[in-house]
Amino acid sequence: MLCSACQEIFSRPRKLAYASIQPWTQTPETFKLAKELGCHLCHLIEAARGYDSIKGSSSCFPNNISYAFKPINPNWARYGVGLKWYAFQSSKTEDDQEELEEFRQGVELDPTANNLAHLLATDAPNLRQEAASSWMVLQFYGRENIVLPIELFDPDDPFEEIAQNHLESQTWTGSLGTLKLAKSWLENCCKNHFSCGARNPSNAPFLPTRLLDVGTIDSPCLRLVYGSSLDPKSPYIALSHRWETNQTRVLRVSNVENYQTAIPEPDITPTVQDAATVTRALGIQYLWIDCLCIIQDDDGTDWSKESSTMFKVYSLSACTIAAAASPKPNQGFLRQRSPLAVRPYIAPSPFSTNNSLCGSPYKFKIHPPYLNRLHDAHVRSSEWFKRGWVFQERMLAPRLLIFSSSQLLWGCPMLQAAESWPSGKTGTNFIDQFTSVAEETKRLYALFGGEKSVRRSHVGWWEFLGDYMSSELTVGSDRLPAVQGIAEMISSRTGVKYFAGFWLDADDFLRGLLWEVKDGEEKKPEGGWRAPRFSWACVEGEVKFDCAGEGRVREEDKLMKVLEGVKMGGTGRNIGEALRVKGKLLAAAVLTGDLDGGDGTVEHRIVTRENGRLQAEIYRKELEFKESVVGRAQENIIATTQAAKSKGLQVLESIMWPLIVLLSPLILALFIVALGLAIAVASVALGVAAACVGVAIALVPIGAAVFYSSKLLSHFYWTHLYPRIYADRLSREAAERARERTAHEEEMLRRQRVAEEKAQRVFEDLEKGVIFEDPKSKRLSKANQDGDKPLKMSLNSDFRLPSRQVIEVFVLPILQEVDIVWGLMVQVAKDSSDQYERLGTFQTTKEEIAKLQLLEATLEEFFLV
């Protein structure tokens, strides 16, 4: 169905050669209404706005919009060269009889190479043949720029018939009509595409250890079965998906037996349920999903066994379902959508000079954007595509059925298609190519032979892993296992030995060990062990391989020999690997530079061990000075606190003794009076009684007088006497302590400045070249007599190192070419005497290497871990 404005586009003959622009009589209100009523072309236009337009105010669209039919230069369409558009504007502005006459008269000036405009206008018999190799578009101009590709409709194309059948019912990617189109893609490929076989052809049939039996559409089920119990030739589907964050519904040791009867519905995720639905619709009974076909809780034993056959699981599957739809909580990968926005519209010929609505024998398909844009928008930008394991899964798959958020896409070496392009187009035109099985197969097969094969060069291997190195992995230690399947397939086809991310038999294997992190990637990965330190997989992000020249490595240029790759133990994902090598370990030290280098670079200087120890002593003293500043400050605080406590006791003593001195005569007088009265009382009872009463009465005012007198004296002392006696002394003591503290701090700062200046001079000396004299080396001692043998080498570290440290290392030369030497900087591995781990790379001259060989170094056998 079309709205009146879109019907008008096809009501009269339109020009192709001159790209005549016509007004589109749609308004924002009528455009909205037309979409609600189901105008197919309006839906395609709205969908295309997100791909081709620089959006202005959406409320204004489609005011002041015009359209034109335009041809694309085939050279640009196929090879990306030359002008994109044929451009010749008509002199007429109205689509009337006069313009039509000009069109008929001007077709001989058709700018297309095959006179396509003339063929279209005259319904030429050879139009189908010529149009098949041409490119045309319906373009809308104005505030937004929208391009809809056009191609000739073939009524005998089975894919087109399925795509248009019951279109209104295909409102989600899991509808029967949609999955019928997917099944037709699969059946066509299996029957007619002889080059789309398994990635790893083998005479022996293969089935995974475990599969899911999904039943049929009429009799659905979901249970675990063992491949050994099935017909070896049984086809199966593999699922490539991004795991749920909460990985609870997986195969465990405890549920393996129960799952062979039936998998309970609560244990089935929406993604698994959708995969089973699609598998049944494709006419296949068995499905492989990693989370339900590999035991996940046996310490990696089953995972290690099954991962070794991963390349067979995907490469020998009938097809891989790619769940690329945007992940949503508690949802699978089948999505609701508008079929009018993704399926092409079959339109009457807009070019014929006959009556377009009834006279032309040809029809045309109006498509949404090209396949490459669909793939970029819905697949490459998806969370699924970013997953590290997906790189291997999509590479090994002989066929890919991709479920995006809005439509299905198909990829095999001979056909790239989508619901928007059910029949695909050509296999060689770049504007409809998307990176799928076809492109990745080409990259993969390039490693089997030629100059970039794994036997010849690691450069081809790095290029192959370009996309993979920036992908995401939930488990960091999966970086090597996630490409193990591809490596095993290549190894089985070429016979080249693969080990820890390298090809041991490659001509430039030693050069491969000299990988470096890309600029700005010096970040040590979190989450513990990932891979051996000699392997590129131990770092995050991308690595570069351009640090040791090009071409084959001659035997005479090899300074190290790799004897074999060795498994060092471990299970599951954490299997230790090491290279047993024979080479020269030259003792040295690394002086790490400041992190703030101005231009963002950090230089780590390499010196002899003895020089390193000397500089370490300077660094140690510098740290002691810095620590002493803090320590002295703490000591000052403690001393001040103790002085305050001591002063408090002195003040208390100074108060008590004056009181005792003042009150002692009064106390003595009272004692004598009491004694006399007691004697008088003893002689005369009555007198004693009277005297006691009198004394008692007399003592009350005396005691009160004594008490208040002491209070008065104390107050007078603290308010008048104490400030005068002690204030000056306390002030002098406080001032003296302040002077001492200031002098101490100035001395500490002076020492620190001296240390920093001394350290700076050390680094300046290093830049000029440090001359080291070793009494054990006659050769170097003689050289030092000349005073012209400085050591100038630097380390390119894999990770950021602490600033201004001295690290004892070993220089391991690997390759030489003319006067240049490349190699690794290594450290002794923890708790080991014959294992060394990589710290980074270096490049220097033979002369500099000679300075490190203070004694004649001999070849040693050890392990790189």
Side-chain angles (χ1 to χ4, degrees):
M1 166 185 175
L2 294 183
C3 65
S4 58
C6 292
Q7 285 179 357
E8 195 275 335
I9 296 175
F10 306 98
S11 63
R12 285 173 279 177
R14 301 301 179 190
K15 297 180 181 180
L16 178 69
Y18 299 142
S20 179
I21 298 175
Q22 308 296 329
W24 190 38
T25 59
Q26 199 73 279
T27 66
E29 294 75 18
T30 59
F31 182 62
K32 180 179 179 181
L33 180 61
K35 289 189 296 178
E36 293 175 354
L37 294 176
C39 175
H40 199 156
L41 187 57
C42 286
H43 275 274
L44 293 179
I45 292 171
E46 179 64 24
R49 293 176 67 197
Y51 298 90
D52 296 282
S53 303
I54 301 175
K55 292 190 176 181
S57 173
S58 59
S59 61
C60 298
F61 184 84
N63 283 341
N64 301 319
I65 294 292
S66 299
Y67 66 88
F69 291 93
K70 300 176 63 175
I72 298 179
N73 184 347
N75 286 331
W76 183 89
R78 291 186 176 88
Y79 313 114
V81 296
L83 296 175
K84 178 178 180 181
W85 303 108
Y86 289 121
F88 188 87
Q89 185 61 49
S90 171
S91 61
K92 304 296 182 183
T93 57
E94 298 294 334
D95 188 12
D96 52 15
Q97 188 64 30
E98 184 180 358
E99 186 185 29
L100 177 58
E101 199 61 35
E102 182 192 26
F103 172 59
R104 288 172 173 167
Q105 296 173 0
V107 290
E108 296 303 328
L109 299 177
D110 180 2
T112 59
N114 58 352
N115 292 324
L116 181 60
H118 176 73
L119 300 176
L120 292 170
T122 58
D123 288 336
N126 61 335
L127 176 60
R128 190 173 302 282
Q129 177 183 352
E130 294 296 335
S133 59
S134 302
W135 295 82
M136 297 173 286
V137 299
L138 171 58
Q139 187 169 12
F140 290 83
Y141 300 87
R143 184 180 293 273
E144 300 184 26
N145 184 47
I146 299 170
V147 177
L148 300 179
I150 301 176
E151 65 176 350
L152 201 63
F153 172 68
D154 183 0
D156 299 325
D157 190 330
F159 299 135
E160 297 292 353
E161 180 183 355
I162 296 172
Q164 298 299 324
N165 192 25
H166 301 296
L167 184 58
E168 67 284 350
S169 66
Q170 300 179 38
T171 57
W172 70 306
T173 55
S175 64
L176 291 178
T178 301
L179 296 181
K180 185 178 179 180
L181 177 61
K183 184 178 180 181
S184 68
W185 284 330
L186 177 60
E187 291 177 344
N188 175 66
C189 182
C190 293
K191 293 178 181 178
N192 302 319
H193 296 173
F194 300 107
S195 63
C196 295
R199 284 286 182 273
N200 186 50
S202 174
N203 295 327
F206 169 83
L207 282 179
T209 303
R210 304 178 191 88
L211 287 164
L212 298 177
D213 183 352
V214 301
T216 63
I217 294 178
D218 298 328
S219 180
C221 68
L222 193 62
R223 66 188 183 93
L224 189 69
V225 295
Y226 280 86
S228 58
S229 66
L230 306 176
D231 182 351
K233 296 183 179 179
S234 300
Y236 65 92
I237 298 293
L239 174 67
S240 175
H241 67 116
R242 192 177 182 94
W243 278 40
E244 293 182 347
T245 304
N246 184 14
Q247 301 175 6
T248 56
R249 292 180 280 188
V250 296
L251 185 65
R252 304 178 186 279
V253 174
S254 59
N255 58 26
V256 170
E257 186 175 351
N258 294 335
Y259 279 11
Q260 294 178 51
T261 303
I263 300 178
E265 188 172 344
D267 291 357
I268 303 174
T269 66
T271 295
V272 172
Q273 187 64 62
D274 286 352
T277 299
V278 174
T279 302
R280 297 184 194 110
L282 294 177
I284 294 179
Q285 187 174 351
Y286 301 106
L287 171 66
W288 187 90
I289 304 178
D290 48 6
C291 60
L292 289 177
C293 294
I294 301 176
I295 298 174
Q296 304 293 326
D297 64 343
D298 64 343
D299 297 327
T301 303
D302 193 59
W303 183 92
S304 179
K305 174 187 174 184
E306 294 301 311
S307 64
S308 65
T309 63
M310 198 76 75
F311 77 104
K312 291 185 178 181
V313 170
Y314 283 98
S315 64
L316 297 177
S317 66
C319 178
T320 293
I321 297 173
S326 302
K328 296 182 179 180
N330 301 318
Q331 288 193 18
F333 55 83
L334 301 179
R335 293 284 189 272
Q336 294 288 333
R337 52 74 187 284
S338 169
L340 300 178
V342 298
R343 295 294 177 86
Y345 171 67
I346 310 303
S349 175
F351 308 108
S352 175
T353 55
N354 296 318
N355 188 322
S356 296
L357 295 179
C358 61
S360 176
Y362 301 109
K363 292 183 179 181
F364 286 81
K365 296 181 292 183
I366 313 296
H367 292 278
Y370 294 109
L371 281 170
N372 66 328
R373 292 200 174 188
L374 295 173
H375 188 266
D376 288 344
H378 300 290
V379 181
R380 288 191 68 88
S381 62
S382 68
E383 294 298 317
W384 168 80
F385 197 87
K386 299 174 184 176
R387 179 173 174 257
W389 280 97
V390 165
F391 177 81
Q392 171 174 269
E393 294 162 3
R394 71 175 190 264
M395 193 75 62
L396 294 173
R399 305 169 188 90
L400 272 178
L401 179 59
I402 306 171
F403 285 78
S404 74
S405 298
S406 63
Q407 64 175 300
L408 276 61
L409 294 90
W410 172 265
C412 70
M414 293 190 68
L415 176 66
Q416 297 176 61
E419 290 185 69
S420 297
W421 295 76
S423 303
K425 193 157 172 58
T426 67
T428 57
N429 294 335
F430 89 96
I431 66 172
D432 74 334
Q433 283 283 347
F434 62 82
T435 304
S436 68
V437 178
E439 287 296 309
E440 292 174 344
T441 299
K442 184 178 179 181
R443 288 197 299 172
L444 180 63
Y445 278 45
L447 298 176
F448 295 160
E451 286 298 318
K452 291 189 177 181
S453 69
V454 295
R455 184 175 296 280
R456 294 295 302 273
S457 171
H458 269 78
V459 174
W461 180 240
W462 294 147
E463 292 176 354
F464 176 74
L465 296 180
D467 288 339
Y468 173 71
M469 289 183 179
S470 59
S471 59
E472 302 171 359
L473 287 164
T474 303
V475 181
S477 58
D478 279 354
R479 196 167 195 199
L480 281 178
V483 290
Q484 183 74 21
I486 294 176
E488 289 180 359
M489 188 192 75
I490 296 174
S491 181
S492 68
R493 297 282 294 269
T494 63
V496 182
K497 294 180 182 179
Y498 173 83
F499 188 79
F502 299 95
W503 299 97
L504 297 181
D505 299 338
D507 291 340
D508 68 343
F509 168 56
L510 291 181
R511 195 170 274 145
L513 292 174
L514 298 173
W515 57 267
E516 295 178 1
V517 294
K518 272 199 171 181
D519 296 338
E521 296 288 342
E522 294 177 343
K523 178 183 177 184
K524 195 167 186 176
E526 300 177 358
W529 187 91
R530 290 169 60 104
R533 283 292 297 273
F534 68 83
S535 174
W536 51 265
C538 72
V539 299
E540 289 185 346
E542 299 181 50
V543 302
K544 59 183 179 180
F545 178 75
D546 56 0
C547 49
E550 298 179 356
R552 300 181 64 180
V553 180
R554 300 180 304 173
E555 286 298 321
E556 57 267 28
D557 291 339
K558 297 178 180 179
L559 303 178
M560 183 185 80
K561 183 178 181 180
V562 177
L563 304 177
E564 62 177 339
V566 181
K567 301 289 185 181
M568 304 293 285
T571 59
R573 291 173 166 88
N574 299 331
I575 297 177
E577 295 173 306
L579 292 173
R580 189 166 68 90
V581 303
K582 183 174 287 188
K584 292 184 177 182
L585 292 171
L586 311 177
V590 173
L591 276 70
T592 60
D594 289 313
L595 293 180
D596 185 10
D599 59 352
T601 60
V602 180
E603 188 175 53
H604 305 308
R605 304 297 295 172
I606 302 173
V607 297
T608 60
R609 283 278 176 88
E610 288 73 12
N611 268 318
R613 293 190 182 99
L614 291 175
Q615 305 315 316
E617 181 65 19
I618 295 176
Y619 292 155
R620 185 185 64 78
K621 291 180 178 179
E622 179 183 350
L623 291 175
E624 288 179 355
F625 291 150
K626 292 180 179 179
E627 292 172 357
S628 67
V629 172
V630 178
R632 294 295 179 87
Q634 292 176 344
E635 291 175 1
N636 289 339
I637 294 173
I638 295 172
T640 302
T641 303
Q642 292 177 346
K645 291 180 180 178
S646 176
K647 180 59 65 179
L649 292 174
Q650 293 177 3
V651 170
L652 183 61
E653 291 175 358
S654 63
I655 293 173
M656 292 300 298
W657 284 112
L659 287 177
I660 293 173
V661 172
L662 290 173
L663 293 177
S664 57
L666 181 58
I667 293 171
L668 182 61
L670 291 174
F671 177 76
I672 295 172
V673 170
L675 182 62
L677 290 174
I679 295 173
V681 169
S683 55
V684 183
L686 183 60
V688 171
C692 288
V693 173
V695 170
I697 294 172
L699 285 176
V700 172
I702 292 173
V706 171
F707 175 76
Y708 285 109
S709 296
S710 64
K711 294 285 288 183
L712 181 63
L713 289 173
S714 176
H715 175 73
F716 177 78
Y717 175 79
W718 285 111
T719 56
H720 295 284
L721 294 180
Y722 179 77
R724 293 178 179 274
I725 296 173
Y726 296 102
D728 292 341
R729 189 180 69 183
L730 292 176
S731 177
R732 288 194 301 271
E733 291 178 354
E736 183 64 24
R737 286 196 301 272
R739 284 193 297 271
E740 291 176 356
R741 184 167 56 253
T742 301
H744 176 74
E745 291 175 353
E746 289 178 351
E747 176 63 17
M748 290 298 100
L749 290 174
R750 186 190 67 78
R751 292 183 181 183
Q752 184 175 348
R753 285 195 300 271
V754 170
E756 290 176 349
E757 291 172 358
K758 191 172 183 180
Q760 186 62 36
R761 287 195 299 273
V762 169
F763 279 96
E764 291 175 355
D765 290 342
L766 289 174
E767 293 296 328
K768 300 173 183 176
V770 176
I771 299 175
F772 169 68
E773 295 185 5
D774 185 352
K776 297 180 182 179
S777 174
K778 297 179 180 180
R779 174 168 52 83
L780 195 59
S781 296
K782 184 178 184 303
N784 284 340
Q785 292 174 5
D786 302 331
D788 60 351
K789 296 293 182 180
L791 183 63
K792 292 184 178 180
M793 297 171 61
S794 62
L795 163 69
N796 298 314
S797 62
D798 297 339
F799 310 122
R800 282 202 178 277
L801 300 176
S803 174
R804 302 186 79 169
Q805 299 290 317
V806 177
I807 304 173
E808 292 192 352
V809 298
F810 290 91
V811 173
L812 175 60
I814 291 183
L815 289 175
Q816 66 180 4
E817 187 174 317
V818 190
D819 192 43
I820 304 300
V821 176
W822 292 274
L824 298 179
M825 200 67 55
V826 297
Q827 285 181 297
V828 179
K830 200 172 186 180
D831 303 326
S832 174
S833 59
D834 63 347
Q835 296 180 15
Y836 296 81
E837 60 181 18
R838 167 184 166 131
L839 191 65
T841 63
F842 71 87
Q843 174 183 340
T844 187
T845 63
K846 291 182 181 180
E847 182 182 11
E848 297 301 320
I849 287 293
K851 296 172 188 176
L852 282 174
Q853 296 175 328
L854 305 181
L855 299 175
E856 289 299 330
T858 58
L859 286 172
E860 300 180 47
E861 188 174 308
F862 54 92
F863 292 95
L864 272 181
V865 297

